[in-house]
Amino acid sequence: MTALKKYQRLECSGLWRETPHDQRREVLVRFGEATLILSDPKSGEAISHWSLPAVIRINRGEEPPVFAPGTESAESLELTEPYMIAALDAVRAAVTAAVPRPGRLRGLILGGLALLVVGLGLFWLPGALIGHTASVLPPAQRAQIGQRVLDDLSRVTGAPCDNQLGLEALARLAGRVFGPVDTPILYVMPEGVDQPLHLPGDVIILPRRLLEQANGPEAAAGAALVEGLRARAADPMVPLLEYAGLRATFQLLTTADLPDTAIKGYGEAALRAAPVRLSDDELIRAFEAAQIPATPYALAVDPDGAITGGLAAGDPYKGLAPAPLIPDESWVALQGICGA
């Protein structure tokens, strides 16, 4: 999305609905580098994060325009500010432009080159083809694929928890952990998730138990922080493409399309995958920089300390009482995010 830097920090008011049955609510809309941030105009606290490449207009041809964070989302946002509308139109144009539309001759040339590449991949280094394909995917396409993987995961876990106050608190926690720029989108699934995990497109999944069984938000914040580090340490597109196979990877490379059959079942596979190991030193530095105590996270994901014992021992805030990560009322709302 680097072509859209001129819109960064653009702000306007809008009317947001969590579901079609709710009353419209005035929000402050801010255009970030990769997300659209919706916040309370009075308190400034984040209410929701939308992935910019996934934003769609749901009332084409009608005025005022209404947008949603994806085809399956119940949320909607009505805007009247022309410059913000133009910015979102530019995003959609950039996403569309990222999809190749080669002519016949160009298609034959690309097809021949792609056959050569995939031939080398099949008989020489399959990992090279997967790694190359992952490396050339634009952020918009990564975000779209990530949302499709999230939908596949929902078949096993149920749809993401969506209590309104809980979502506001979750967005607030994400802003506290990662800051206002390039903030990953956090989700809590109702069941089936025992350990934190991350998906392509800056998507982080938190186990429900980290919220309902903890004494504070520190364990969930630590889980989000660690998954963000893992997503940077090892490209999450690579295991997805390994699961999809070389044929699907070849199709994605040459047509910018990953078939649904290649993604089906990957959500469940991601739940079973072993997490990327990070060194204690790297984790301790990250927790210290983020000003988040590490011990609550270490004990929540590994009570016996077999894996995270070094992290707990090196906790830079061990024995101290750091400032609350989010207000108490937000923590209470976060614990009830999977409630009615």
Side-chain angles (χ1 to χ4, degrees):
M1 309 301 285
T2 54
L4 305 176
K5 288 185 178 297
K6 64 179 180 178
Y7 295 118
Q8 286 182 21
R9 306 190 186 284
L10 174 63
E11 293 184 351
C12 75
S13 62
L15 295 176
W16 172 73
R17 284 179 175 173
E18 183 187 10
T19 73
H21 306 292
D22 294 325
Q23 290 186 343
R24 295 184 300 176
R25 170 182 176 181
E26 184 178 358
V27 295
L28 180 65
V29 183
R30 180 159 60 87
F31 198 102
E33 187 167 316
T35 60
L36 199 67
I37 304 168
L38 281 55
S39 59
D40 186 290
K42 295 181 180 179
S43 67
E45 297 290 350
I47 295 173
S48 186
H49 282 108
W50 292 8
S51 172
L52 269 174
V55 173
I56 60 172
R57 181 169 176 172
I58 59 177
N59 69 335
R60 186 173 298 278
E62 302 178 17
E63 294 294 338
V66 179
F67 299 89
T71 56
E72 302 297 325
S73 177
E75 292 183 72
S76 65
L77 176 67
E78 179 182 310
L79 295 174
T80 57
E81 168 57 47
Y83 203 52
M84 179 65 78
I85 295 170
L88 292 177
D89 287 341
V91 170
R92 296 203 309 278
V95 171
T96 301
V99 179
R101 293 174 173 81
R104 184 176 180 182
L105 178 60
R106 185 182 174 196
L108 289 174
I109 295 173
L110 289 176
L113 291 174
L115 284 173
L116 176 61
V117 171
V118 79
L120 290 173
L122 287 171
F123 298 106
W124 180 40
L125 286 176
L129 176 64
I130 290 175
H132 173 71
T133 303
S135 69
V136 299
L137 286 179
Q141 203 165 13
R142 285 174 170 269
Q144 291 176 327
I145 291 173
Q147 291 299 311
R148 291 170 63 191
V149 174
L150 180 66
D151 291 341
D152 182 76
L153 177 64
S154 297
R155 295 187 304 106
V156 180
T157 64
C161 299
D162 59 0
N163 175 272
Q164 179 177 339
L165 293 177
L167 288 176
E168 294 176 15
L170 192 62
R172 187 173 295 124
L173 184 68
R176 168 60 180 82
V177 175
F178 298 101
V181 179
D182 289 339
T183 308
I185 301 178
L186 308 185
Y187 293 93
V188 179
M189 314 307 277
E191 59 183 23
V193 178
D194 296 324
Q195 297 293 328
L197 70 150
H198 62 273
L199 305 176
D202 283 338
V203 172
I204 293 177
I205 309 296
L206 299 178
R208 181 176 179 177
R209 65 176 180 82
L210 283 186
L211 306 177
E212 296 183 345
Q213 299 177 12
N215 294 323
E218 291 79 13
L225 178 66
V226 172
E227 290 307 309
L229 291 174
R230 286 175 172 151
R232 290 195 293 270
D235 188 345
M237 278 300 307
V238 170
L240 170 59
L241 295 180
E242 290 174 343
Y243 175 88
L246 289 180
R247 181 175 181 179
T249 301
F250 170 59
Q251 182 173 337
L252 177 61
L253 178 64
T254 56
T255 69
D257 177 59
L258 189 63
D260 291 337
T261 53
I263 293 177
K264 185 176 181 180
Y266 181 71
E268 187 172 2
L271 289 175
R272 299 193 302 265
V276 175
R277 293 296 301 270
L278 301 172
S279 70
D280 289 339
D281 289 342
E282 181 181 2
L283 291 173
I284 290 170
R285 287 194 300 269
F287 274 90
E288 184 173 15
Q291 298 182 7
I292 298 172
T295 302
Y297 162 77
L299 295 178
V301 300
D302 180 27
D304 297 331
I307 298 174
T308 61
L311 174 60
D315 184 354
Y317 297 101
K318 192 169 187 177
L320 302 178
L325 299 182
I326 56 177
D328 289 342
E329 59 270 21
S330 295
W331 168 237
V332 173
L334 194 54
Q335 286 185 299
I337 192 172
C338 295

